[in-house]
Amino acid sequence: MKNFITLSLALFSLSLFAQEVNVRVVNPIKNQITDLGIGSRVQLDFKTYRVQRPAIFLGRMVTQDGKTQEFLFLDEQKTRITMIDPQNVSGFRKTTSQAIMSPIDQLGSTCTAYGVLHFWGQMYEVGWKGTPELMSVMESDRRRMQLLEETIDIYYLQNKTNITTLMKNYGKRFGFNCRNNPFNNPRQAADFLFQKTSEGKPVLIDFNIGSDMVASTYEVTDFETPVSRDPRLWLPRKVGQRTTSGHVIVAAGAFISKGRRKLLVLDSNWTEPRVWDLDRYLGSKVAIKEMGFHTCN
């Protein structure tokens, strides 16, 4: 009897949130892979609270097997990203919304391997299908883990290759031409990142970090369980700043907020995306010459 009451209360609680948020698309961003891209302007109607809020759509977050996990929306005024479960959202479900991977949080110093996995997962989920080999890898739990294990073996254990060569080899296997795009000018690097990610193409970024993380100005919360997440993120070191180690992330989407260019990045230290302010984090003092920007076409 007790278990029945507990289950009934749980089902009742879920029913209270059923399609709690209605989304009206105000200004969609479209490209060749989606009709509702990251950066699209929407209006959120919270039915229970009878409150409407303007927001920026930040993607349909998917699991490693492509299942929709959350919809992400940015409240610009509060600089708060809210993740809302699919069953609680109505109004725009029939659109083709841009996917963004939910990163796997790494164990140990293996960010390169996880960055490679997230890059190819992001390529596949947003629609850059490549060869049947890429589909075979990304649609199998075991084969995704084998890709991760293979990268750890080649890059960390055998120490046979650098990231540029590693990406070129995977590109040949998956039907893409991959290259590193080095820059001497931070502004040009920021322009490149914004352009590529606006097209829905992810960029694998490797860089050296300083000693400390930076606290993001963007709070990430879950609508159904409103607990704030870890606000920190890793950034490239500045010239003259002591290098502690290297790091690898994936730039997965771009948007403009309050007139400033932002990147949505996948960092394997967390299971939610981070937000980069391009002009702030890639400013004139950043050690741009030691950064890598890897793309596949």
Side-chain angles (χ1 to χ4, degrees):
M1 185 62 160
K2 181 179 179 181
N3 289 338
F4 174 77
I5 293 174
T6 301
L7 178 60
S8 298
L9 287 173
L11 292 173
F12 177 71
S13 298
L14 285 173
S15 68
L16 287 177
F17 285 113
Q19 297 188 338
E20 165 63 18
V21 184
N22 182 265
V23 180
R24 181 172 64 86
V25 178
V26 177
N27 186 17
I29 290 178
K30 301 181 180 182
N31 53 44
Q32 65 186 92
I33 61 171
T34 182
D35 57 10
L36 187 71
I38 291 171
S40 297
R41 299 276 171 169
V42 300
Q43 184 85 6
L44 303 182
D45 182 4
F46 296 91
K47 297 178 182 178
T48 298
Y49 305 109
R50 297 182 180 179
V51 172
Q52 293 184 343
R53 300 283 300 179
I56 298 177
F57 176 68
L58 291 190
R60 174 175 55 88
M61 193 163 73
V62 300
T63 59
Q64 297 298 311
D65 59 1
K67 183 180 297 183
T68 301
Q69 185 179 34
E70 306 275 1
F71 287 106
L72 275 59
F73 300 96
L74 168 65
D75 184 325
E76 287 186 282
Q77 184 177 352
K78 297 181 179 180
T79 60
R80 176 183 297 161
I81 299 171
T82 301
M83 303 184 297
I84 306 177
D85 288 354
Q87 65 266 26
N88 293 341
V89 176
S90 63
F92 78 122
R93 299 285 293 277
K94 293 183 180 180
T95 60
T96 305
S97 53
Q98 187 171 345
I100 185 164
M101 295 294 303
S102 174
I104 301 174
D105 47 339
Q106 71 189 61
L107 180 64
S109 302
T110 52
C111 60
T112 297
Y114 280 90
V116 169
L117 176 66
H118 294 151
F119 175 90
W120 289 111
Q122 182 67 22
M123 285 282 286
Y124 181 72
E125 291 300 335
V126 296
W128 308 106
K129 300 298 185 183
T131 63
E133 171 72 4
L134 181 59
M135 178 188 297
S136 177
V137 170
M138 289 303 148
E139 293 189 352
S140 164
D141 284 340
R142 181 63 194 125
R143 294 211 62 195
R144 288 194 299 272
M145 288 303 98
Q146 285 177 329
L147 176 63
L148 180 66
E149 293 161 2
E150 178 184 353
T151 307
I152 290 173
D153 179 59
I154 294 172
Y155 187 79
Y156 291 100
L157 301 182
Q158 298 185 43
N159 195 26
K160 279 186 173 181
T161 185
N162 57 30
I163 296 175
T164 299
T165 303
L166 189 70
M167 289 295 289
K168 284 183 177 180
N169 291 339
Y170 281 135
K172 291 177 182 178
R173 184 192 304 183
F174 296 143
F176 296 92
N177 180 26
C178 300
R179 56 169 295 181
N180 181 25
N181 304 269
F183 290 94
N184 294 323
N185 184 299
R187 180 73 181 186
Q188 292 176 350
D191 292 344
F192 175 82
L193 281 171
F194 190 81
Q195 176 192 344
K196 288 296 181 184
T197 51
S198 294
E199 296 171 357
K201 295 179 179 178
V203 181
L204 186 77
I205 308 174
D206 69 270
F207 54 91
N208 291 322
I209 60 175
S211 57
D212 298 314
M213 291 183 181
V214 173
S216 173
T217 57
Y218 287 83
E219 179 186 10
V220 180
T221 63
D222 188 279
F223 179 71
E224 292 77 17
T225 310
V227 177
S228 295
R229 267 53 175 184
D230 186 346
R232 299 174 300 167
L233 69 160
W234 286 113
L235 296 178
R237 77 177 187 95
K238 296 179 180 179
V239 175
Q241 192 176 21
R242 182 180 178 181
T243 301
T244 57
S245 64
H247 196 44
V248 175
I249 63 170
V250 177
F255 63 99
I256 294 177
S257 176
K258 299 180 180 178
R260 297 182 68 88
R261 299 182 300 175
K262 312 288 183 178
L263 280 187
L264 207 58
V265 304
L266 312 180
D267 189 319
S268 54
N269 282 132
W270 298 275
T271 57
E272 309 91 17
R274 309 281 103 174
V275 175
W276 273 26
D277 184 312
L278 265 178
D279 299 312
R280 179 181 177 187
Y281 296 160
L282 285 184
S284 59
K285 295 182 180 180
V286 73
I288 195 70
K289 293 182 180 179
E290 60 190 34
M291 295 180 68
F293 303 90
H294 308 270
T295 55
C296 298
N297 298 305

